[in-house]
Structures are given as C-alpha cells and as structure tokens.
Amino acid sequence: MTDDWTPRLAPGLEDIAAMARAARAALPEAYRPAATEVSLRVEDFAPDSILQEMSIHDAFGLTGLYDGIPLTEKSVMDQPHGPDTIWLFRRPILDEWADRGNVALGALVAHVYVHELAHHFGWSDAEIAAIDPWWE
C-alpha cells in the first residue's frame, strides 16, 4: 500500500514556532526565565540584510540566528536597541531535516533554538560545538 502524501502540508511558520516554544518549555528551570525574555521570530528565510551582513550567499545556509547582546556582555550603560531575538528560518530548517533523514523535525528545531539561545548566554560557536557535536 502506497502512502498518499497529496493531502499533507509542510509545517508552516507557526508550526516551527510551536516546536521552538516546546523546546523552551522543556529547558531546565535555571534557564527558562532568561529564555522567555528573548523574542522568537520565525521566517521562511533570513532577510537579505542579514544575509549580506553575514556574507552568506545561500539563504539555505542559515537555519537560525541570535540577534542581541549576550548576557555576559550586557551593561546598565547599554542603550536599548530592541529586544534580543532568536530567529529561526523555516525553509533552511526543513531542507536540513530532509537532507538528514534521520532526525525528527521537532528535535532539529529544538537543536537550532537551543544553539541560538546558548549565544544569548554568551557561549561561542566553538564552546557550543564542544558539548553538542550535532553534525556527527
């Protein structure tokens, strides 16, 4: 029997946002309050301005981004610049999910969300990779 995929829809922006909110809710209690202070924004792709600023030529190359001042660098002298934000990019996430073929979509969204949240806490990519070798 062949599974009929015609009535199925790809997860939308709100579906990805719901998965990220579930990942936030599952965080250890010590991290949850700070995580709820970070805005969540889900878009199909990163805006061109972000891609240009980061010198990324392929929009599928960016699944998420932390935009803000890490907690380790915040100062009472900082001028407000807007809320710290975690961006998740739906189409690159779905593309990576399809390419991997061995991970649940919710797990991938949670991974990207937690990776970006780690930047909010002041972790570098190298520090994150040392404890989370996701690519393996």
Side-chain angles (χ1 to χ4, degrees):
M1 179 175 184
T2 304
D3 195 5
D4 182 10
W5 286 82
T6 54
R8 298 184 191 191
L9 301 176
L13 298 173
E14 182 51 40
D15 298 315
I16 301 296
M19 291 176 207
R21 287 191 300 269
R24 180 176 58 205
L27 289 170
E29 180 58 38
Y31 296 99
R32 224 174 297 139
T36 61
E37 296 295 320
V38 180
S39 178
L40 175 64
R41 187 158 178 192
V42 182
E43 301 290 341
D44 276 323
F45 289 102
D48 289 338
S49 60
I50 288 176
L51 294 171
Q52 289 171 358
E53 183 180 322
M54 297 181 72
S55 299
I56 295 174
H57 303 290
D58 180 3
F60 282 97
L62 187 61
T63 56
L65 176 72
Y66 170 68
D67 181 20
I69 299 172
L71 292 176
T72 55
E73 298 174 19
K74 285 193 186 279
S75 165
V76 295
M77 302 302 291
D78 288 337
Q79 293 294 315
H81 80 287
D84 292 342
T85 303
I86 291 176
W87 295 70
L88 298 180
F89 305 115
R90 184 183 78 93
R91 295 282 309 278
I93 288 171
L94 292 176
D95 194 56
E96 181 175 338
W97 174 60
D99 282 349
R100 284 179 180 273
N102 64 350
V103 64
L105 180 57
L108 179 58
V109 171
H111 165 76
V112 175
Y113 174 80
V114 169
H115 178 100
E116 300 309 331
L117 183 63
H119 288 307
H120 175 66
F121 289 113
W123 293 33
S124 69
D125 279 329
E127 290 169 323
I128 297 166
I131 63 164
D132 182 24
W134 183 254
W135 60 90
E136 291 179 352

